[in-house]
Amino acid sequence: MLELLDVRTGYGRSEVIHGAGVAVPSNGVAAVMGHNGAGKTTLLRAAVGLLKCTGGKVLFDGEDITRLRPSARVARGLAYVPQGQQSFAQLTTAENLQVVADGRRNSRALIDEQLDLFPALKELLNRRAGLLSGGQRQQLAIARALITSPKCLILDEPTEGIQPSVVAEIEQVITELTARGDLGVLLVEQHIGFALESAERYYILEAGRITSSGAGGSASEADVRTAMAI
């Protein structure tokens, strides 16, 4: 699915990621964990093409997409949900979904599918996105990304500042989608329990380098905290 091979990237002359490697399964979750400032968001931005790689490669379905623009990567099946529950605040929930669905085949069906995944949004279709709670905005942000029918969904801190009940709903959606066998997820997460429960494989990023990795199902939260020196 999505592979980051010895990726190097950063901002200007400052290299932030120093040869990191992450592999996302075609029907599962790869979780990247680490302290604030470790470079997690920078790594995701390189994966989606918002930052140029100064070294290494980004492969998607075996194709080298390292030099492709973000729009071309999206066209091939990448979707990115950045940190911060982003939406069009002045548009309603329905309008936020429709603006992504417009021009796509079966746009109504695509929207309905996301509303089935996130039923709480059905009661909020006429409410402006700026008036939604943080958890509701995050569900909307993920639903918007899924309307593009991606092969790989990239999520940056999807549980940040969200109540536990909504965290559980998001985890359930991720599990359901990956179980279908046609979606891989690259997840950056500081909620260790959520990450390990969701991930087939985890990676620990420290100061721009992968310092540890393992199978998500066989690792304990204590093991990961030890590896992260928490």
Side-chain angles (χ1 to χ4, degrees):
M1 175 59 76
L2 179 66
E3 295 179 87
L4 309 181
L5 304 177
D6 197 28
V7 165
R8 295 177 177 274
T9 190
Y11 304 92
R13 296 182 179 180
S14 177
E15 185 175 270
V16 177
I17 301 297
H18 314 290
V22 173
V24 181
S26 59
N27 58 348
V29 179
V32 178
M33 294 175 281
H35 298 291
N36 287 333
K40 302 185 300 297
T41 294
T42 300
L43 184 65
L44 295 193
R45 287 172 62 83
V48 79
L50 295 173
L51 284 177
K52 292 183 178 180
C53 293
T54 56
K57 293 182 179 181
V58 180
L59 303 182
F60 189 53
D61 279 347
E63 178 189 2
D64 187 346
I65 62 170
T66 311
R67 299 186 182 279
L68 292 186
R69 294 181 177 181
S71 58
R73 301 188 195 201
V74 170
R76 280 164 172 74
L78 282 182
Y80 178 45
V81 180
Q83 194 173 8
Q85 303 132 25
Q86 296 185 15
S87 61
F88 295 112
Q90 296 303 314
L91 299 183
T92 65
T93 297
E95 289 167 339
N96 265 273
L97 296 171
Q98 190 63 53
V99 75
V100 180
D102 280 347
R104 300 181 184 276
R105 288 185 177 182
N106 303 317
S107 61
R108 184 66 252 176
L110 288 171
I111 292 174
D112 288 343
E113 182 179 355
Q114 308 322 313
L115 294 176
D116 288 339
L117 288 172
F118 298 105
L121 297 179
K122 293 181 180 180
E123 306 299 321
L124 303 167
L125 290 175
N126 295 320
R127 185 174 300 180
R128 287 186 180 180
L131 300 178
L132 302 179
S133 70
Q136 291 163 348
R137 286 197 304 273
Q138 188 63 282
Q139 292 180 79
L140 176 58
I142 296 172
R144 282 163 44 88
L146 290 173
I147 284 176
T148 67
S149 301
K151 296 179 182 179
C152 183
L153 179 64
I154 300 176
L155 300 173
D156 191 356
E157 303 278 12
T159 69
E160 182 183 33
I162 293 177
Q163 64 191 53
S165 62
V166 179
V167 171
E169 291 173 10
I170 291 174
E171 181 180 357
Q172 181 179 349
V173 167
I174 291 173
T175 300
E176 179 180 338
L177 292 174
T178 55
R180 295 179 186 177
D182 57 357
L183 180 71
V185 176
L186 176 55
L187 170 70
V188 154
E189 185 56 64
Q190 290 199 48
H191 189 309
I192 296 174
F194 172 82
L196 291 179
E197 289 173 11
S198 303
E200 181 175 315
R201 190 159 190 84
Y202 73 88
Y203 299 84
I204 296 175
L205 187 69
E206 295 292 340
R209 293 180 171 85
I210 299 295
T211 58
S212 181
S213 64
S218 64
S220 70
E221 189 167 337
D223 291 337
V224 172
R225 287 185 177 277
T226 298
M228 292 173 61
I230 294 178

